[in-house]
């Protein structure tokens, strides 16, 4: 390659000869203008509008809404977790996410119910490992953007969420003190844990660290609770520190499970850049569905923001299937998150300024949130069936039939006033579904969808 010693001459540089030329031109034009018989100077044609292949009109208001939906940026910081963006912690967290040793009898891992091949869910209406639960396993896609966790929002951070399934007797069935023994015993886990978080406590004295112990707040006679209550506050604190550290590593991994380059995002970017290659890849049906989504169907009333969720709780008025007991959802969760020792204003939070953390401050229960559940993200929705907190709908068609007709009544609370039967016709429903199907991104690299060979890179 040749190196130019001087910067290349700038195009608009006032070159002396060009100056002369310009004057000559101006004089010429002037004299021509004075001589009325001459042809007017040629003005260049205005640029032809690019054919973007749009079958819908996007008004200014529509464009404003679109700007609020895409592009999805980086996840917000997680100040309560100092390891949230630590690549080694994320690698370890990924290892743990797939590791069955972290459950009773080494049978299940997080991935048993959040399988990357099943849209990071389990494909079942309600989760079923040790025993069948009442709620659907939501996707882990884009959880880093959530404000609350679980269908009822009973956790306020992603790491606090991760502390619950390990000890849930019907999910993984472990105990935090049992896990501490597992990490002490399994050389690979011990080595990786200590490299990241420092030495594990010495758990060799069974008087101090019983084989299994965890707090069981609603059952003082539970053997795990009795064993936990017998531990000293210092040892409890050591177990909690360990437990929250592994949860924080898992959050660091989950923060990488991001879907943000769907055909929908590409389409809107194409409209913005007047790029027909990008806009024409988006089918007319999906375009019409998009227009319905942000318009007549009013989905963006709740599924708004860049992750297509307002992060709030609504009772959309699902009825009570025969033989089921009512689920009061958010109503039950407020007390739980306020009392959670692992919430973001607790001792195990790394937030340097917890007083700025106002999310919990103004939380109060009221009957309006009876039977309300979190608005889920709609990103990757085509890959995360079945749908709703109890997995009652097998397909997106079923979901739309529900919004279209709003049959029945909710068993608790009342349906959000803003919801009205949509009364879309068959074609409109098909369009809206084509749009919902456009919200999935290209698959993640296998380096994120499989357990790494070793707990540390
Ligand atoms: C038995 C299956 C099962 C296992 C095992 C399991 N989960 Fe879940 N997960 C669920 C269910 C069911 C919910 C929703 C429960 C609820 O809302 O009450 C859930 C909720 C979540 C959420 C909240 C998502 C959101 O949008 O709020 C995350 C994140 C998550 N699990 C991660 C994990 C991690 C990490 C592990 C391992 C430590 C794990 N899960 C183990 C079934 C499971
Ligand atoms: C009033 C707020 C609100 C409006 C409006 C709304 N949704 Fe929802 N949506 C929710 C809530 C809340 C849930 C979860 C409800 C539950 O499980 O109890 C949900 C669930 C869903 C689900 C299932 C997601 C999953 O992962 O299980 C889909 C799909 C969905 N909505 C699509 C739409 C579409 C399409 C529209 C417009 C026609 C729409 N929603 C309008 C609040 C709303």
């Amino acid at each position: 390659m040749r190196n130019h010693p001087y910067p290349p001459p700038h195009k608009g540089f006032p070159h002396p000869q060009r100056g002369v030329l310009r004057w000559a031109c101006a004089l010429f034009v002037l004299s021509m203008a004075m001589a009325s018989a001459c042809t007017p100077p040629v003005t260049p044609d205005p640029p032809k509008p690019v054919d973007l292949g749009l079958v819908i009109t996007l008004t200014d208001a529509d464009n404003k809404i679109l700007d609020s939906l895409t592009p999805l940026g980086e996840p917000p910081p997680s100040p309560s977790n100092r390891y949230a963006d630590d690549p080694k912690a994320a690698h370890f967290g990924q290892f743990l996410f797939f590791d069955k040793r972290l459950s009773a009898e080494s049978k299940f891992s997080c991935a048993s119910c959040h399988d990357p091949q099943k849209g990071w869910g389990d494909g079942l209406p309600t989760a079923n490992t040790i025993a069948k639960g009442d709620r659907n396993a939501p996707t882990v896609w884009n959880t880093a953007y959530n404000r609350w966790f679980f269908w009822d929002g009973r956790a306020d951070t992603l790491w606090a969420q991760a502390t619950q399934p390990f000890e849930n007797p019907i999910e993984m069935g472990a105990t935090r003190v049992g896990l501490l023994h597992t990490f002490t015993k399994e050389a690979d886990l011990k080595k990786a844990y200590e490299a990241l978080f420092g030495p594990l406590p010495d758990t060799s004295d069974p008087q101090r660290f019983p084989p299994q112990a965890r707090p069981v707040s609603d059952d003082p006679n539970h053997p795990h609770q009795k064993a936990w209550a017998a531990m000293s506050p210092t040892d409890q604190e050591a177990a909690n520190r360990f437990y929250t550290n592994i949860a924080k590593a898992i959050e660091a991994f989950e923060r990488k499970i991001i879907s943000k380059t769907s055909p929908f995002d590409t389409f809107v970017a194409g409209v913005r850049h007047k790029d027909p290659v990008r806009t024409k890849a988006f089918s007319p049906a999906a375009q019409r569905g998009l227009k319905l989504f942000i318009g007549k169907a009013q989905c963006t009333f709740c599924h708004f923001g860049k992750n297509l969720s307002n992060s709030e709780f609504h009772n959309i008025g699902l009825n009570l299937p025969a033989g089921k007991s009512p689920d009061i959802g958010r109503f039950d969760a407020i007390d739980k998150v306020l009392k959670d020792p692992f919430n973001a204003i607790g001792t195990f939070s790394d937030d340097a300024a917890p007083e700025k953390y106002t999310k919990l401050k103004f939380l109060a229960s009221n009957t309006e949130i009876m039977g309300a559940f979190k608005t889920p993200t709609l990103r990757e929705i085509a890959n995360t069936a079945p749908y709703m907190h109890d997995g009652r709908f097998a397909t997106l068609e079923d979901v739309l039939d529900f919004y279209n007709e709003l049959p029945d009544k909710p068993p608790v609370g009342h349906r959000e006033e803003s919801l009205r039967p949509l009364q879309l016709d068959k074609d409109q429903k098909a369009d809206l579904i084509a749009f919902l199907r456009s919200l999935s991104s290209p698959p993640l690299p296998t380096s994120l969808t499989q357990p790494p060979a070793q707990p540390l890179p």
Side-chain angles (χ1 to χ4, degrees), residues 50-56 267 276 279-280 282-284 287:
V50 193
D51 175 17
L52 295 176
L54 298 193
V55 300
I56 50 169
F267 168 72
T279 52
K280 285 185 176 168
F282 203 61
S283 74
Q287 290 184 36

Side-chain angles (χ1 to χ4, degrees), residues 102 110 114 135 149-176 179 214-215 243-244 246-247 250 333 335-343:
L102 274 57
C110 307
H114 302 284
R135 290 195 182 153
F149 304 86
F150 292 114
W151 283 102
D152 55 10
R154 67 181 179 277
D156 65 340
T157 66
L158 198 42
W159 64 267
Q161 188 288 325
T163 61
Q164 299 195 25
F166 288 124
E167 289 187 340
N168 187 326
I170 65 165
E171 293 191 337
M172 295 173 79
T175 67
R176 63 195 72 178
L179 287 177
R214 68 181 169 110
Y243 195 45
T244 50
I246 61 173
I250 289 176
D335 201 41
K336 288 183 185 159
V337 66
L338 288 172
K339 286 191 182 142
D340 185 355
F342 299 149
N343 69 26

Side-chain angles (χ1 to χ4, degrees), residues 391-414:
R392 65 176 60 203
F393 296 136
T395 64
L396 288 172
E397 284 78 3
D398 296 342
V399 172
L400 280 195
D401 284 341
F402 166 78
Y403 280 115
N404 219 23
E405 287 142 34
L406 298 182
D408 313 317
K409 278 197 162 161
V412 286
H414 60 89

Side-chain angles (χ1 to χ4, degrees), residues 291-323:
K291 183 84 183 180
L292 283 168
F293 185 79
I294 62 175
K296 183 174 182 246
Q298 296 196 331
C299 309
T300 42
F301 188 82
C302 301
H303 298 278
F304 74 74
K306 306 248 162 133
N307 196 29
L308 304 180
S309 161
N310 60 357
S311 303
E312 285 305 330
F313 302 84
H314 302 274
N315 183 337
I316 61 169
L318 297 166
N319 69 0
L320 188 65

